Amino acid sequence: MFTDLQQKKVLITGSTKGIGLAAAVAFARQGALVGINSRQKDEAAQDAIAQMEATGARFEYFARDLSTSEGCAALIEDFTKAFGGMDVLVNNAGGLGIRAGLESLDDAAFDLVMDLNLRSAIMTTKYAMPHLKASAATSGTTASVISTGSIAGREGGGLGASLYGGTKAMLHNLHRNWVKEFTKDNVRFNIVSPGTIDTVFHADKSEELRAKIAGSIPMGRFGTSEECAPTFLFLASHATSGYITGQVIDINGGQMCP
Ligand code: NAD
């Protein structure tokens, strides 16, 4: 179905676990050339590398900390040197950072969450743009930027996650602006907005809280990373989504229907 993804050069940030890793494996299975990334080559990265090797696809792992602008620039440099360009960028690196109420937030918490969720996506996209524009011009189709937003960016986030929800809302809105700036260059921008997906993101929650959350979802359960992956393929493929840009696609089992 996504045959035009074969040999496409796809960089997925924050992809040694969870949603990013499932997307990376899915792209690899479509015959894409995939770059995976995390801050450091830890146990999760080794495991992700093994999973990518099992697909038989060509891929590279890059250790870069995307909460720094230098790390973002270096990742784009690494990827484009290794693959000779870029057709698809998936900004997936991100996370809660800290769970704390407004009155206990300080500058360190602010910087942590902003850098992890916003600096990472903004600076990585900035440095990727020349390569994505070149890809679209050469192919005569479109290049694609997909960022992982969140249900928290739509409804505010859980208690203590105001900064996280705020960064995701801003990410959704940044895309709307970039559509205005870069559609003339045939670069598309879309958001994948997960609801509650069963990854280490929720490792701090008790069984009781997990059951309560599951009960609030019409489908009665958390989603899986594998259930998110096909939407990244859809939004990356010009054949399936060439006229779709500036959209937020929710994957949430009915948890919120905006
Ligand atoms: P995860 O913790 O399982 O994976 C996060 C990945 O990002 C890991 O590979 C980690 O090594 C990498 N990473 C973290 N900090 C990084 C940094 N500074 N530089 C480079 N890489 C870094 O998380 P997940 O649940 O798969 O979440 C992935 C994305 O989905 C995040 O943007 C998250 O905000 C978003 N999201 C998750 C959920 C959910 O319920 N799991 C819901 C909505 C949105």
Side-chain angles (χ1 to χ4, degrees):
M1 182 167 187
F2 302 109
T3 48
D4 68 332
L5 292 180
Q6 274 174 32
Q7 299 298 308
K8 289 288 181 199
K9 298 158 184 159
V10 181
L11 173 61
I12 305 166
T13 70
S15 41
T16 57
K17 284 189 259 181
I19 295 168
L21 176 58
V25 168
F27 276 108
R29 288 190 181 138
Q30 296 298 324
L33 312 176
V34 181
I36 61 170
N37 150 261
S38 65
R39 195 191 307 241
Q40 64 212 7
K41 201 168 183 177
D42 54 13
E43 211 174 297
Q46 304 283 6
D47 186 50
I49 289 168
Q51 289 193 47
M52 290 297 288
E53 277 169 356
T55 68
R58 181 170 166 217
F59 79 97
E60 299 272 348
Y61 166 80
F62 306 105
R64 293 290 179 189
D65 179 359
L66 303 186
S67 61
T68 70
S69 298
E70 300 72 35
C72 299
L75 177 63
I76 299 302
E77 174 90 8
D78 293 342
F79 180 88
T80 53
K81 261 199 184 149
F83 291 105
M86 185 187 304
D87 303 306
V88 176
L89 170 66
V90 177
N91 289 310
N92 180 72
L96 183 64
I98 186 169
R99 190 178 293 282
L102 174 61
E103 290 165 294
S104 60
L105 292 178
D106 57 16
D107 284 355
F110 182 88
D111 290 345
L112 174 74
V113 183
M114 296 294 159
D115 288 346
L116 178 59
N117 292 305
L118 288 176
R119 184 187 300 281
S120 61
I122 294 169
M123 290 301 165
T124 302
T125 307
K126 167 194 153 125
Y127 290 112
M129 282 316 297
H131 304 285
L132 294 166
K133 288 190 217 174
S135 159
T138 307
S139 71
T141 62
T142 55
S144 176
V145 176
I146 306 161
S147 299
T148 308
S150 175
I151 190 170
R154 290 207 185 265
E155 56 81 68
L159 275 178
S162 63
L163 287 178
Y164 173 73
T167 58
K168 292 298 186 177
M170 182 165 161
L171 189 54
H172 294 191
N173 217 54
L174 286 166
H175 269 220
R176 297 183 179 105
N177 183 278
W178 294 340
V179 166
K180 294 177 185 170
E181 188 173 357
F182 296 111
T183 300
K184 65 175 180 354
D185 299 303
N186 291 317
V187 181
R188 297 181 294 113
F189 295 85
N190 291 290
I191 298 277
V192 169
S193 175
T196 308
I197 308 301
D198 201 358
T199 70
V200 295
F201 191 100
H202 301 288
D204 65 336
K205 297 189 170 75
S206 66
E207 279 307 314
E208 194 186 358
L209 180 55
R210 286 175 61 95
K212 193 174 163 201
I213 294 169
S216 74
I217 301 170
M219 288 196 187
R221 62 175 179 83
F222 286 25
T224 67
S225 296
E226 289 70 26
E227 288 175 307
C228 297
T231 306
F232 289 96
L233 302 181
F234 170 75
L235 291 171
S237 161
H238 178 83
T240 57
S241 64
Y243 196 55
I244 299 178
T245 192
Q247 303 306 306
V248 179
I249 298 193
D250 297 273
I251 305 176
N252 65 25
Q255 195 172 7
M256 192 198 179
C257 306

